Amino acid sequence: MATSNWFPRNAEDNNSAVINLTDSMLESDDLDATAADPTRQPDASASMERQEMPRVERNGEDPQSAFMDAVKTQMAETVWQTGKQQARKVFDVYGNIDLLRPYFDVEPKTVVHRLVLSLLPLRPSSTPQKAVGELYGPLMIVLTLVAILLMGMKDAGHTVREGTLMGSAIGISFGYWLLASGLFYGVSFICNTHITFLQVLSLTGYGMFSFCIVLFLGTTLHSAVSHTLFYTSWAILGGLSSLRMVGVYLSRTKGRSHKLTIALTVAALHLVFLLYLHFTYHKIVAAVASIR
């Protein structure tokens, strides 16, 4: 009985001993092989596979959902970059506009004072006359001229094949302001006149104040038969503004020939353009029947 009881228990112990011995032998064989050949690397593929299998099982997601997540992430990144660029553009535009602020920073009473001075020529002198460098007053004068031209076009029944009356009035007003200023500045450069382009823009713009007065009087009070009122206002107001502009250029120019060139250019273009505006965009009712 003692023998029979001992044998199964000993068999179990022997079995466990055999299994443990086998595992330990395998491990010792790996260690001995590695020790014998230092250049041999342990086979890590099996261990990596055993480590990767649980990870794949844990992270076993649908490939379609992973692709959608990647697309959403990319779209969010694109939207963020686009919004960032647009915000930067807006900031840059605001910064550029802020650079123009000194040229429009002027009080209304100062503008009124300069409007009056634009019709009061000064005596010629050897010292350069003051020429302001602001654009608020000239811009308001040009916009006022646009409104007066629109009224004159409607009164004259002026038709435009392509575009609108508003576009024509804006093109004429701003076109003269910019092109005439460019011409005056070019002639001033040739004649060695000490004046900047900003000052030329301001001087030409304030000179157009006489256009507004003359055209408004010609549109509202002008007679259909007589042009006396128009020619009188053209000679007085247009002449005064021309003399004011010419005086500024002459005080900053050296040499008689240069002074004569700049004076004729400014005065002629200023007065002729005023005539063009009146006779092109003002209604002249001629009593054709009575004339015949």
Side-chain angles (χ1 to χ4, degrees):
M1 293 297 293
T3 304
S4 61
N5 292 332
W6 174 84
F7 182 77
R9 202 165 46 246
N10 191 14
E12 293 177 358
D13 295 340
N14 291 334
N15 291 335
S16 61
V18 171
I19 293 173
N20 295 333
L21 180 61
T22 304
D23 295 338
S24 61
M25 288 176 64
L26 291 175
E27 294 177 358
S28 62
D29 291 339
D30 292 337
L31 294 175
D32 293 339
T34 304
D37 188 3
T39 60
R40 179 181 176 181
Q41 298 293 333
D43 190 6
S45 60
S47 60
M48 292 177 63
E49 290 179 359
R50 287 193 300 268
Q51 293 177 359
E52 291 293 335
M53 288 178 59
R55 185 180 301 175
V56 172
E57 292 178 357
R58 289 194 303 267
N59 299 332
E61 298 179 355
D62 189 6
Q64 185 175 1
S65 61
F67 175 74
M68 293 302 297
D69 293 339
V71 171
K72 291 178 180 178
T73 304
Q74 185 66 27
M75 290 179 64
E77 184 68 21
T78 303
V79 171
W80 168 256
Q81 293 295 336
T82 304
K84 185 178 179 180
Q85 293 177 1
Q86 293 295 331
R88 183 174 297 175
K89 289 180 180 179
V90 172
F91 180 77
D92 293 340
V93 170
Y94 179 78
N96 294 332
I97 293 175
D98 192 61
L99 295 176
L100 299 176
R101 183 176 299 175
Y103 306 116
F104 294 89
D105 189 10
V106 60
E107 296 292 333
K109 60 181 181 180
T110 305
V111 174
V112 174
H113 179 69
R114 289 172 180 173
L115 290 176
V116 176
L117 291 179
S118 66
L119 300 176
L120 299 177
L122 300 177
R123 293 180 180 180
S125 60
S126 58
T127 58
Q129 297 182 12
K130 183 179 180 181
V132 297
E134 56 97 2
L135 299 176
Y136 176 77
L139 182 61
M140 294 298 105
I141 292 172
V142 173
L143 294 178
T144 304
L145 182 61
V146 170
I148 295 174
L149 286 179
L150 281 176
M151 184 174 61
M153 288 178 181
K154 292 181 180 179
D155 186 33
H158 181 73
T159 58
V160 181
R161 293 183 179 180
E162 297 181 0
T164 61
L165 295 178
M166 176 69 75
S168 299
I170 292 176
I172 292 169
S173 302
F174 280 92
Y176 172 78
W177 183 33
L178 297 177
L179 294 179
S181 299
L183 177 62
F184 295 159
Y185 182 73
V187 177
S188 301
F189 180 78
I190 296 173
C191 297
N192 295 325
T193 303
H194 300 283
I195 191 170
T196 63
F197 184 67
L198 181 62
Q199 292 174 336
V200 173
L201 279 174
S202 181
L203 188 62
T204 306
Y206 277 108
M208 295 172 67
F209 178 60
S210 61
F211 292 1
C212 298
I213 299 176
V214 174
L215 293 178
F216 180 77
L217 294 176
T219 304
T220 56
L221 304 176
H222 181 60
S223 175
V225 179
S226 175
H227 297 280
T228 305
L229 177 62
F230 167 72
Y231 283 119
T232 303
S233 59
W234 172 76
I236 296 175
L237 297 177
L240 290 175
S241 62
S242 297
L243 290 176
R244 172 69 178 185
M245 295 172 62
V246 169
V248 174
Y249 285 105
L250 292 181
S251 65
R252 295 169 176 265
T253 306
K254 303 296 181 180
R256 290 186 177 181
S257 60
H258 291 167
K259 289 184 177 181
L260 181 62
T261 302
I262 191 68
L264 290 178
T265 303
V266 173
L269 185 59
H270 187 76
L271 294 175
V272 169
F273 188 74
L274 182 54
L275 287 174
Y276 166 78
L277 291 179
H278 175 73
F279 287 105
T280 304
Y281 302 106
H282 180 70
K283 183 178 180 181
I284 302 175
V285 180
V288 180
S290 61
I291 293 176
R292 290 180 180 179

